[in-house]
Protein backbone atom coordinates (compact mmCIF):
# COMPACT_ATOMS: atom_id res chain seq x y z
CA UNK A 1 0.00 0.00 0.00
CA UNK A 2 1.35 3.43 -0.89
CA UNK A 3 2.58 5.55 2.00
CA UNK A 4 -0.18 7.73 3.40
CA UNK A 5 -2.98 5.74 1.78
CA UNK A 6 -5.58 4.58 4.28
CA UNK A 7 -6.91 1.06 3.93
CA UNK A 8 -10.55 1.00 2.91
CA UNK A 9 -12.96 -1.83 3.59
CA UNK A 10 -12.47 -4.91 1.42
CA UNK A 11 -14.98 -7.54 0.33
CA UNK A 12 -14.07 -10.69 -1.56
CA UNK A 13 -16.85 -12.59 -3.34
CA UNK A 14 -16.48 -16.13 -4.65
CA UNK A 15 -18.72 -17.36 -7.46
CA UNK A 16 -18.13 -20.96 -8.51
CA UNK A 17 -19.71 -20.29 -11.95
CA UNK A 18 -18.94 -23.09 -14.35
CA UNK A 19 -21.79 -22.52 -16.79
CA UNK A 20 -24.55 -19.97 -17.10
CA UNK A 21 -24.86 -16.40 -15.87
CA UNK A 22 -26.85 -16.64 -12.63
CA UNK A 23 -24.18 -16.66 -9.95
CA UNK A 24 -21.97 -14.11 -11.66
CA UNK A 25 -24.79 -11.63 -12.23
CA UNK A 26 -25.95 -11.93 -8.62
CA UNK A 27 -22.43 -11.34 -7.29
CA UNK A 28 -21.88 -8.42 -9.64
CA UNK A 29 -25.14 -6.79 -8.53
CA UNK A 30 -24.11 -7.05 -4.87
CA UNK A 31 -20.60 -5.74 -5.58
CA UNK A 32 -21.86 -2.71 -7.48
CA UNK A 33 -24.34 -1.81 -4.76
CA UNK A 34 -21.74 -2.10 -2.01
CA UNK A 35 -19.25 0.25 -3.68
CA UNK A 36 -22.04 2.69 -4.50
CA UNK A 37 -23.05 2.85 -0.84
CA UNK A 38 -19.51 2.74 0.60
CA UNK A 39 -17.03 5.16 -0.93
CA UNK A 40 -14.03 3.59 0.84
CA UNK A 41 -14.77 -0.01 -0.20
CA UNK A 42 -13.15 -2.26 -2.79
CA UNK A 43 -14.65 -5.54 -4.01
CA UNK A 44 -13.04 -8.40 -5.92
CA UNK A 45 -15.09 -11.18 -7.51
CA UNK A 46 -13.47 -14.59 -7.97
CA UNK A 47 -15.15 -16.47 -10.80
CA UNK A 48 -14.64 -19.15 -13.39
CA UNK A 49 -17.11 -17.59 -15.81
CA UNK A 50 -15.66 -17.48 -19.34
CA UNK A 51 -17.60 -14.33 -20.25
CA UNK A 52 -17.03 -12.13 -17.22
CA UNK A 53 -14.98 -9.81 -19.43
CA UNK A 54 -18.11 -9.01 -21.44
CA UNK A 55 -19.56 -7.06 -18.52
CA UNK A 56 -18.73 -3.57 -17.36
CA UNK A 57 -17.65 -3.00 -13.76
CA UNK A 58 -17.86 0.09 -11.62
CA UNK A 59 -14.83 1.73 -10.08
CA UNK A 60 -13.51 -0.22 -7.10
CA UNK A 61 -14.95 -3.49 -8.38
CA UNK A 62 -12.66 -5.92 -10.15
CA UNK A 63 -12.50 -9.63 -10.84
CA UNK A 64 -10.01 -12.47 -10.80
CA UNK A 65 -10.74 -15.07 -13.45
CA UNK A 66 -9.91 -18.60 -12.38
CA UNK A 67 -9.65 -21.41 -14.96
CA UNK A 68 -13.09 -22.52 -16.08
CA UNK A 69 -14.51 -26.01 -15.73
CA UNK A 70 -17.67 -27.55 -17.11
CA UNK A 71 -19.89 -30.25 -15.68
CA UNK A 72 -20.38 -33.32 -17.87
CA UNK A 73 -23.58 -35.34 -18.10
CA UNK A 74 -21.92 -37.95 -15.89
CA UNK A 75 -21.62 -35.36 -13.11
CA UNK A 76 -17.83 -35.16 -13.44
CA UNK A 77 -16.01 -31.93 -14.25
CA UNK A 78 -13.47 -31.21 -16.96
CA UNK A 79 -11.39 -28.18 -17.90
CA UNK A 80 -13.31 -25.73 -20.08
CA UNK A 81 -10.38 -24.46 -22.16
CA UNK A 82 -7.07 -25.91 -20.99
CA UNK A 83 -5.55 -29.21 -22.08
CA UNK A 84 -4.86 -30.28 -18.51
CA UNK A 85 -6.63 -32.86 -16.39
CA UNK A 86 -9.40 -32.04 -13.95
CA UNK A 87 -7.34 -32.44 -10.78
CA UNK A 88 -4.71 -30.02 -12.08
CA UNK A 89 -7.42 -27.52 -13.03
CA UNK A 90 -9.04 -27.74 -9.60
CA UNK A 91 -5.66 -27.42 -7.85
CA UNK A 92 -4.89 -24.33 -9.94
CA UNK A 93 -8.28 -22.80 -9.09
CA UNK A 94 -7.84 -23.48 -5.36
CA UNK A 95 -4.35 -21.98 -5.39
CA UNK A 96 -5.48 -18.77 -7.13
CA UNK A 97 -8.42 -18.41 -4.75
CA UNK A 98 -6.26 -18.83 -1.65
CA UNK A 99 -3.46 -16.55 -2.83
CA UNK A 100 -5.91 -13.83 -3.85
CA UNK A 101 -7.52 -13.96 -0.41
CA UNK A 102 -4.10 -14.02 1.26
CA UNK A 103 -2.92 -10.80 -0.44
CA UNK A 104 -6.26 -8.95 -0.70
CA UNK A 105 -6.94 -9.75 2.98
CA UNK A 106 -10.70 -9.07 2.92
CA UNK A 107 -12.74 -7.89 5.88
CA UNK A 108 -15.67 -9.92 4.56
CA UNK A 109 -15.64 -13.05 2.38
CA UNK A 110 -18.95 -13.93 0.68
CA UNK A 111 -19.23 -17.39 -0.83
CA UNK A 112 -22.08 -17.76 -3.32
CA UNK A 113 -24.23 -20.92 -3.05
CA UNK A 114 -21.55 -23.63 -2.67
CA UNK A 115 -20.43 -23.67 1.01
CA UNK A 116 -17.07 -25.32 0.27
CA UNK A 117 -16.78 -24.16 -3.33
CA UNK A 118 -16.51 -26.40 -6.36
CA UNK A 119 -15.21 -29.76 -5.14
CA UNK A 120 -14.14 -28.14 -1.86
CA UNK A 121 -11.82 -25.61 -3.49
CA UNK A 122 -12.46 -22.79 -0.98
CA UNK A 123 -12.09 -24.89 2.18
CA UNK A 124 -8.46 -23.91 2.84
CA UNK A 125 -9.25 -20.27 2.10
CA UNK A 126 -12.15 -20.31 4.57
CA UNK A 127 -9.94 -21.81 7.28
CA UNK A 128 -7.18 -19.30 6.64
CA UNK A 129 -9.51 -16.31 6.71
CA UNK A 130 -11.32 -17.62 9.79
CA UNK A 131 -7.99 -17.58 11.63
CA UNK A 132 -7.48 -13.97 10.53
CA UNK A 133 -10.84 -12.87 11.88
CA UNK A 134 -12.46 -12.27 8.49
CA UNK A 135 -16.26 -12.26 8.58
CA UNK A 136 -17.36 -15.31 6.56
CA UNK A 137 -20.73 -15.32 4.81
CA UNK A 138 -22.54 -17.96 2.79
CA UNK A 139 -24.93 -16.30 0.34
CA UNK A 140 -27.87 -18.43 -0.83
CA UNK A 141 -30.53 -17.72 -3.41
CA UNK A 142 -34.15 -18.12 -2.28
CA UNK A 143 -34.47 -21.72 -3.51
CA UNK A 144 -31.70 -24.27 -3.85
CA UNK A 145 -33.60 -27.42 -4.85
CA UNK A 146 -36.30 -29.71 -3.54
CA UNK A 147 -35.29 -31.21 -0.17
CA UNK A 148 -35.22 -34.75 -1.58
CA UNK A 149 -32.34 -33.72 -3.84
CA UNK A 150 -30.57 -31.14 -1.68
CA UNK A 151 -30.30 -33.23 1.50
CA UNK A 152 -28.27 -36.12 -0.02
CA UNK A 153 -26.16 -33.64 -2.04
CA UNK A 154 -25.09 -31.71 1.05
CA UNK A 155 -24.58 -34.91 3.03
CA UNK A 156 -22.27 -36.21 0.29
CA UNK A 157 -20.31 -32.96 0.30
CA UNK A 158 -20.11 -32.93 4.13
CA UNK A 159 -21.26 -29.32 4.24
CA UNK A 160 -22.61 -29.17 7.81
CA UNK A 161 -19.25 -28.76 9.64
CA UNK A 162 -18.46 -25.62 7.61
CA UNK A 163 -21.87 -24.10 8.39
CA UNK A 164 -21.38 -24.85 12.07
CA UNK A 165 -17.69 -24.05 12.55
CA UNK A 166 -16.57 -21.65 9.80
CA UNK A 167 -19.37 -19.38 8.63
CA UNK A 168 -20.47 -16.42 10.73
CA UNK A 169 -23.70 -15.80 8.81
CA UNK A 170 -25.89 -17.28 6.09
CA UNK A 171 -27.61 -14.65 3.97
CA UNK A 172 -30.68 -15.80 2.07
CA UNK A 173 -31.49 -13.51 -0.86
CA UNK A 174 -35.23 -14.07 -0.52
CA UNK A 175 -38.08 -14.16 1.97
CA UNK A 176 -39.13 -16.94 4.37
CA UNK A 177 -42.79 -16.67 3.33
CA UNK A 178 -41.73 -17.61 -0.20
CA UNK A 179 -39.19 -20.32 0.53
CA UNK A 180 -36.70 -21.71 3.04
CA UNK A 181 -33.75 -22.80 0.88
CA UNK A 182 -32.55 -25.27 3.53
CA UNK A 183 -35.93 -26.86 4.16
CA UNK A 184 -35.63 -30.54 5.01
CA UNK A 185 -32.01 -30.32 6.16
CA UNK A 186 -31.54 -31.25 9.82
CA UNK A 187 -29.61 -28.20 10.95
CA UNK A 188 -28.58 -27.46 14.54
CA UNK A 189 -30.14 -24.39 16.10
CA UNK A 190 -26.74 -22.67 16.09
CA UNK A 191 -26.73 -22.82 12.28
CA UNK A 192 -30.37 -21.74 11.95
CA UNK A 193 -29.58 -18.68 14.06
CA UNK A 194 -26.99 -17.65 11.46
CA UNK A 195 -29.64 -17.40 8.71
CA UNK A 196 -30.75 -13.90 7.75
CA UNK A 197 -33.40 -13.33 5.05
CA UNK A 198 -32.56 -10.19 3.11
CA UNK A 199 -35.35 -10.03 0.54
CA UNK A 200 -34.74 -10.21 -3.21
CA UNK A 201 -32.02 -8.16 -4.89
CA UNK A 202 -33.52 -5.13 -6.62
CA UNK A 203 -32.32 -4.42 -10.16
CA UNK A 204 -32.11 -1.07 -11.90
CA UNK A 205 -30.83 0.31 -15.18
CA UNK A 206 -27.03 0.30 -15.43
CA UNK A 207 -25.24 3.57 -14.81
CA UNK A 208 -23.52 5.28 -17.70
CA UNK A 209 -24.45 5.48 -21.38
CA UNK A 210 -26.48 2.69 -22.89
CA UNK A 211 -24.86 0.69 -25.69
CA UNK A 212 -27.98 -0.59 -27.36
CA UNK A 213 -28.04 -3.70 -29.50
CA UNK A 214 -29.52 -2.53 -32.82
CA UNK A 215 -32.91 -4.02 -33.66
CA UNK A 216 -33.63 -4.11 -37.37
CA UNK A 217 -37.21 -5.39 -37.66
CA UNK A 218 -39.08 -4.68 -34.45
CA UNK A 219 -39.39 -1.91 -31.90
CA UNK A 220 -40.77 -1.55 -28.40
CA UNK A 221 -43.19 -2.50 -27.02
CA UNK A 222 -42.22 -6.14 -27.55
CA UNK A 223 -42.34 -9.41 -25.67
CA UNK A 224 -38.87 -10.21 -24.33
CA UNK A 225 -38.01 -13.91 -24.44
CA UNK A 226 -34.93 -14.72 -22.37
CA UNK A 227 -33.41 -18.00 -21.25
CA UNK A 228 -30.51 -16.60 -19.22
CA UNK A 229 -27.27 -18.21 -20.28
CA UNK A 230 -29.22 -20.28 -22.80
CA UNK A 231 -27.51 -23.59 -22.16
CA UNK A 232 -30.81 -25.25 -21.34
CA UNK A 233 -33.28 -22.86 -22.96
CA UNK A 234 -33.64 -24.40 -26.41
CA UNK A 235 -37.10 -25.86 -25.83
CA UNK A 236 -38.54 -22.53 -24.68
CA UNK A 237 -37.17 -20.67 -27.71
CA UNK A 238 -38.38 -23.37 -30.09
CA UNK A 239 -41.86 -23.28 -28.55
CA UNK A 240 -42.15 -19.48 -28.90
CA UNK A 241 -40.89 -19.60 -32.49
CA UNK A 242 -43.45 -22.25 -33.43
CA UNK A 243 -46.21 -20.03 -32.08
CA UNK A 244 -45.10 -17.12 -34.29
CA UNK A 245 -44.55 -19.41 -37.29
CA UNK A 246 -48.10 -20.75 -37.07
CA UNK A 247 -50.05 -17.73 -35.84
CA UNK A 248 -49.34 -14.65 -37.92
CA UNK A 249 -51.91 -12.61 -35.99
CA UNK A 250 -50.07 -12.50 -32.66
CA UNK A 251 -50.42 -8.84 -31.66
CA UNK A 252 -46.96 -8.07 -30.28
CA UNK A 253 -43.51 -8.69 -31.75
CA UNK A 254 -40.97 -10.78 -29.86
CA UNK A 255 -37.31 -10.18 -29.08
CA UNK A 256 -35.47 -13.44 -28.42
CA UNK A 257 -32.22 -13.32 -26.43
CA UNK A 258 -30.78 -16.78 -26.96
CA UNK A 259 -27.94 -16.67 -24.43
CA UNK A 260 -24.18 -17.04 -24.88
CA UNK A 261 -24.07 -20.67 -23.74
CA UNK A 262 -26.67 -22.07 -26.13
CA UNK A 263 -25.18 -24.64 -28.49
CA UNK A 264 -23.96 -22.86 -31.63
CA UNK A 265 -25.93 -25.15 -33.96
CA UNK A 266 -29.21 -24.33 -32.22
CA UNK A 267 -28.31 -20.64 -32.12
CA UNK A 268 -27.83 -20.69 -35.89
CA UNK A 269 -31.11 -22.54 -36.39
CA UNK A 270 -33.10 -20.10 -34.25
CA UNK A 271 -31.49 -17.05 -35.85
CA UNK A 272 -32.40 -18.40 -39.29
CA UNK A 273 -36.00 -19.13 -38.28
CA UNK A 274 -36.40 -15.70 -36.70
CA UNK A 275 -35.06 -14.08 -39.88
CA UNK A 276 -38.08 -15.49 -41.74
CA UNK A 277 -40.59 -13.88 -39.37
CA UNK A 278 -41.56 -10.22 -39.58
CA UNK A 279 -42.52 -10.02 -35.90
CA UNK A 280 -39.54 -11.82 -34.39
CA UNK A 281 -35.99 -10.62 -33.88
CA UNK A 282 -33.28 -12.73 -32.27
CA UNK A 283 -29.92 -11.84 -30.76
CA UNK A 284 -27.43 -14.05 -28.97
CA UNK A 285 -26.44 -11.90 -25.99
CA UNK A 286 -26.70 -8.45 -24.43
CA UNK A 287 -24.69 -7.50 -21.35
CA UNK A 288 -27.28 -4.83 -20.51
CA UNK A 289 -30.39 -6.97 -20.31
CA UNK A 290 -31.95 -4.47 -17.93
CA UNK A 291 -32.46 -1.99 -20.78
CA UNK A 292 -34.13 -4.62 -22.94
CA UNK A 293 -36.44 -5.63 -20.12
CA UNK A 294 -37.37 -2.05 -19.25
CA UNK A 295 -38.83 -1.59 -22.76
CA UNK A 296 -40.73 -4.89 -22.85
CA UNK A 297 -44.49 -5.14 -22.48
CA UNK A 298 -44.12 -8.64 -21.06
CA UNK A 299 -41.45 -11.25 -20.39
CA UNK A 300 -41.22 -14.94 -21.25
CA UNK A 301 -38.51 -16.61 -19.20
CA UNK A 302 -37.40 -19.81 -17.51
CA UNK A 303 -37.52 -18.35 -14.03
CA UNK A 304 -33.94 -18.28 -12.80
CA UNK A 305 -33.20 -16.14 -9.76
CA UNK A 306 -31.83 -13.09 -11.58
CA UNK A 307 -34.58 -13.00 -14.17
CA UNK A 308 -37.21 -13.23 -11.43
CA UNK A 309 -35.59 -10.28 -9.62
CA UNK A 310 -35.61 -8.27 -12.85
CA UNK A 311 -39.24 -9.11 -13.61
CA UNK A 312 -40.33 -7.85 -10.20
CA UNK A 313 -37.97 -4.86 -10.18
CA UNK A 314 -39.11 -3.62 -13.60
CA UNK A 315 -42.73 -4.54 -12.80
CA UNK A 316 -43.32 -6.67 -15.91
CA UNK A 317 -46.10 -9.19 -16.55
CA UNK A 318 -44.29 -12.50 -16.92
CA UNK A 319 -44.83 -15.99 -18.27
CA UNK A 320 -42.42 -18.41 -16.62
CA UNK A 321 -41.64 -21.75 -18.24
CA UNK A 322 -39.40 -23.43 -15.65
CA UNK A 323 -37.00 -26.28 -16.20
CA UNK A 324 -37.31 -29.29 -13.93
CA UNK A 325 -33.93 -30.92 -14.59
CA UNK A 326 -31.34 -31.17 -13.16
CA UNK A 327 -32.94 -29.13 -10.36
CA UNK A 328 -36.51 -28.23 -9.41
CA UNK A 329 -35.40 -24.75 -8.33
CA UNK A 330 -37.06 -22.85 -11.20
CA UNK A 331 -40.28 -24.83 -10.96
CA UNK A 332 -40.59 -24.21 -7.21
CA UNK A 333 -39.96 -20.48 -7.66
CA UNK A 334 -42.42 -20.22 -10.57
CA UNK A 335 -45.13 -22.10 -8.70
CA UNK A 336 -44.79 -19.81 -5.68
CA UNK A 337 -44.75 -16.71 -7.89
CA UNK A 338 -47.96 -17.86 -9.58
CA UNK A 339 -49.56 -18.62 -6.22
CA UNK A 340 -48.78 -15.09 -5.01
CA UNK A 341 -49.92 -13.50 -8.29
CA UNK A 342 -46.46 -12.22 -9.24
CA UNK A 343 -46.30 -14.15 -12.53
CA UNK A 344 -48.00 -16.86 -14.59
CA UNK A 345 -46.48 -20.29 -15.13
CA UNK A 346 -46.70 -22.50 -18.21
CA UNK A 347 -45.51 -26.06 -17.68
CA UNK A 348 -43.60 -27.80 -20.43
CA UNK A 349 -45.56 -31.00 -21.12
CA UNK A 350 -43.03 -32.27 -23.65
CA UNK A 351 -45.53 -31.80 -26.51
CA UNK A 352 -45.24 -28.01 -26.61
CA UNK A 353 -48.31 -27.36 -28.73
CA UNK A 354 -47.90 -24.01 -30.49
CA UNK A 355 -51.56 -23.17 -29.78
CA UNK A 356 -50.98 -23.25 -26.02
CA UNK A 357 -48.03 -20.91 -26.42
CA UNK A 358 -49.89 -18.55 -28.77
CA UNK A 359 -52.76 -18.28 -26.28
CA UNK A 360 -50.34 -17.57 -23.44
CA UNK A 361 -48.52 -14.91 -25.47
CA UNK A 362 -51.81 -13.18 -26.27
CA UNK A 363 -52.82 -13.10 -22.62
CA UNK A 364 -49.42 -12.05 -21.27
CA UNK A 365 -49.65 -8.23 -21.64
CA UNK A 366 -53.10 -8.29 -19.97
CA UNK A 367 -51.77 -9.93 -16.81
CA UNK A 368 -51.50 -8.01 -13.56
CA UNK A 369 -48.19 -6.33 -12.81
CA UNK A 370 -46.16 -7.62 -9.87
CA UNK A 371 -46.58 -4.26 -8.08
CA UNK A 372 -50.28 -5.02 -7.68
CA UNK A 373 -49.32 -7.68 -5.14
CA UNK A 374 -48.12 -6.40 -1.77
CA UNK A 375 -45.29 -8.55 -0.39
CA UNK A 376 -43.57 -6.65 2.45
CA UNK A 377 -39.80 -6.46 2.03
CA UNK A 378 -39.87 -8.19 -1.35
CA UNK A 379 -37.10 -6.11 -2.96
CA UNK A 380 -35.18 -4.95 0.11
CA UNK A 381 -32.27 -7.33 -0.50
CA UNK A 382 -29.54 -4.88 -1.52
CA UNK A 383 -30.27 -2.44 1.31
CA UNK A 384 -30.26 -5.27 3.82
CA UNK A 385 -27.03 -6.73 2.43
CA UNK A 386 -25.37 -3.33 2.84
CA UNK A 387 -26.72 -3.08 6.41
CA UNK A 388 -25.31 -6.52 7.22
CA UNK A 389 -21.96 -5.55 5.70
CA UNK A 390 -21.85 -2.39 7.83
CA UNK A 391 -22.62 -4.37 10.97
CA UNK A 392 -19.92 -6.92 10.18
CA UNK A 393 -17.35 -4.19 9.55
CA UNK A 394 -18.16 -2.46 12.83
CA UNK A 395 -17.82 -5.71 14.77
CA UNK A 396 -14.70 -6.90 13.03
CA UNK A 397 -12.42 -3.86 12.53
CA UNK A 398 -8.84 -5.08 12.91
CA UNK A 399 -6.00 -2.63 13.63
CA UNK A 400 -3.49 -2.35 10.80
CA UNK A 401 -0.74 -3.82 13.00
CA UNK A 402 -2.83 -6.91 13.71
CA UNK A 403 -3.70 -7.40 10.05
CA UNK A 404 -0.03 -7.19 9.11
CA UNK A 405 0.94 -9.71 11.79
CA UNK A 406 -1.76 -12.13 10.64
CA UNK A 407 -0.61 -11.85 7.02
CA UNK A 408 2.96 -12.72 8.01
CA UNK A 409 1.97 -15.95 9.75
Amino acid sequence: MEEGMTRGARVLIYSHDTFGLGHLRRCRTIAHWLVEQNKDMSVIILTGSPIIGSFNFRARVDFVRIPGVIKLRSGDYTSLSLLIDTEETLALRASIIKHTAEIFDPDIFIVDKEPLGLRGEVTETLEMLKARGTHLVLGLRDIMDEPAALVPEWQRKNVLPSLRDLYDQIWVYGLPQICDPLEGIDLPKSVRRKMVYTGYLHRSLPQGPEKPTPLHKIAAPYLLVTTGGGGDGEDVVDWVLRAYENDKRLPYPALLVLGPFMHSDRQAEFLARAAQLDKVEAITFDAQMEHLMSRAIGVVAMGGYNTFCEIVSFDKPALIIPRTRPRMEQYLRAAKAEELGLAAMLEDDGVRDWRRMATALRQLPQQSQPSEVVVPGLLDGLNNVNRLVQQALERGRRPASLRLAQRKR
Side-chain angles (χ1 to χ4, degrees):
M1 185 178 298
E2 295 177 17
E3 187 176 350
M5 182 182 292
T6 58
R7 183 193 195 274
R10 297 180 182 182
V11 177
L12 182 63
I13 303 178
Y14 163 85
S15 169
H16 82 290
D17 261 324
T18 56
F19 197 61
L21 297 172
H23 306 291
L24 169 61
R25 294 188 65 214
R26 180 164 58 246
C27 293
R28 178 173 169 266
T29 297
I30 291 170
H32 281 188
W33 183 253
L34 290 178
V35 298
E36 181 178 318
Q37 300 301 308
N38 302 276
K39 302 307 180 187
D40 66 339
M41 183 175 288
S42 297
V43 181
I44 290 179
I45 300 173
L46 287 157
T47 178
S49 173
I51 64 165
I52 188 169
S54 300
F55 292 93
N56 295 323
F57 289 86
R58 290 184 180 173
R60 292 177 287 114
V61 177
D62 211 335
F63 64 89
V64 172
R65 165 85 158 83
I66 55 180
V69 295
I70 190 168
K71 196 171 187 177
L72 304 173
R73 291 184 182 274
S74 64
D76 295 329
Y77 288 93
T78 187
S79 176
L80 181 63
S81 303
L82 302 175
L83 293 176
I84 63 176
D85 67 33
T86 306
E87 294 308 315
E88 288 178 309
T89 304
L90 291 170
L92 189 57
R93 286 169 59 101
S95 177
I96 294 171
I97 291 165
K98 185 177 179 183
H99 281 85
T100 301
E102 215 164 23
I103 302 303
F104 187 56
D105 192 26
D107 300 287
I108 301 173
F109 182 35
I110 303 173
V111 174
D112 188 73
K113 181 183 176 286
E114 289 288 341
L116 300 175
L118 179 66
R119 298 270 291 268
E121 66 185 1
V122 298
T123 304
E124 286 189 22
T125 300
L126 286 167
E127 292 169 347
M128 176 193 71
L129 292 177
K130 184 73 173 179
R132 291 187 175 192
T134 302
H135 191 76
L136 304 179
V137 176
L138 175 63
L140 300 178
R141 63 184 181 225
D142 57 342
I143 299 170
M144 299 287 284
D145 201 352
E146 57 182 337
L150 186 61
V151 171
E153 178 186 336
W154 276 28
Q155 287 175 340
R156 186 180 72 254
K157 294 177 178 178
N158 195 29
V159 161
L160 183 57
S162 71
L163 303 184
R164 184 188 62 225
D165 302 330
L166 292 176
Y167 282 103
D168 297 293
Q169 288 184 313
I170 301 170
W171 299 347
V172 180
Y173 307 127
L175 293 175
Q177 60 265 44
I178 292 182
C179 191
D180 171 5
L182 302 184
E183 179 186 357
I185 298 179
D186 186 17
L187 295 173
K189 289 182 180 179
S190 62
V191 173
R192 280 283 172 189
R193 284 195 292 268
K194 296 179 181 182
M195 293 179 66
V196 182
Y197 288 86
T198 67
Y200 290 86
L201 304 176
H202 183 270
R203 306 305 165 89
S204 55
L205 293 177
Q207 290 187 344
E210 180 185 359
K211 299 176 183 177
T213 298
L215 301 180
H216 303 290
K217 290 191 296 181
I218 68 170
Y222 49 70
L223 299 178
L224 176 66
V225 182
T226 172
T227 60
D232 52 7
E234 297 171 358
D235 291 339
V236 172
V237 174
D238 176 66
W239 200 358
V240 171
L241 278 170
R242 281 196 275 132
Y244 277 90
E245 287 166 342
N246 287 279
D247 188 343
K248 306 299 183 185
R249 295 178 296 175
L250 284 169
Y252 290 100
L255 172 59
L256 313 182
V257 184
L258 305 179
F261 298 113
M262 183 175 287
H263 194 281
S264 58
D265 289 347
R266 295 310 302 272
Q267 277 189 352
E269 174 199 332
F270 293 147
L271 290 169
R273 288 168 63 183
Q276 301 300 312
L277 299 168
D278 293 337
K279 288 186 176 180
V280 178
E281 187 139 3
I283 61 176
T284 56
F285 176 65
D286 193 310
Q288 295 187 328
M289 278 292 293
E290 298 89 347
H291 284 292
L292 298 182
M293 187 168 290
S294 70
R295 290 192 284 269
I297 198 170
V299 178
V300 180
M302 295 177 65
Y305 179 85
N306 290 288
T307 304
F308 177 72
C309 289
E310 289 165 348
I311 287 167
V312 179
S313 297
F314 290 105
D315 204 22
K316 299 298 179 180
L319 176 67
I320 299 178
I321 309 166
R323 70 180 182 200
T324 55
R325 293 189 302 270
R327 296 185 180 275
M328 289 292 289
E329 169 223 342
Q330 291 186 359
Y331 179 89
L332 295 171
R333 182 179 298 112
K336 191 64 181 181
E338 184 171 60
E339 178 187 327
L340 292 171
L342 294 169
M345 180 172 73
L346 182 63
E347 294 187 54
D348 184 347
D349 58 4
V351 177
R352 294 185 285 276
D353 180 9
W354 67 264
R355 295 174 186 83
R356 282 182 67 211
M357 177 58 73
T359 299
L361 295 176
R362 273 198 170 82
Q363 295 172 346
L364 176 54
Q366 279 71 54
Q367 283 176 207
S368 299
Q369 294 173 289
S371 60
E372 296 178 41
V373 181
V374 178
V375 182
L378 183 64
L379 288 171
D380 288 350
L382 290 176
N383 285 329
N384 284 325
V385 164
N386 185 57
R387 176 179 57 81
L388 291 165
V389 164
Q390 292 296 330
Q391 291 174 355
L393 290 173
E394 289 304 315
R395 285 196 302 267
R397 293 285 184 188
R398 292 171 290 160
S401 58
L402 177 59
R403 286 198 304 270
L404 185 61
Q406 289 171 332
R407 284 180 60 178
K408 289 180 176 178
R409 286 177 186 173

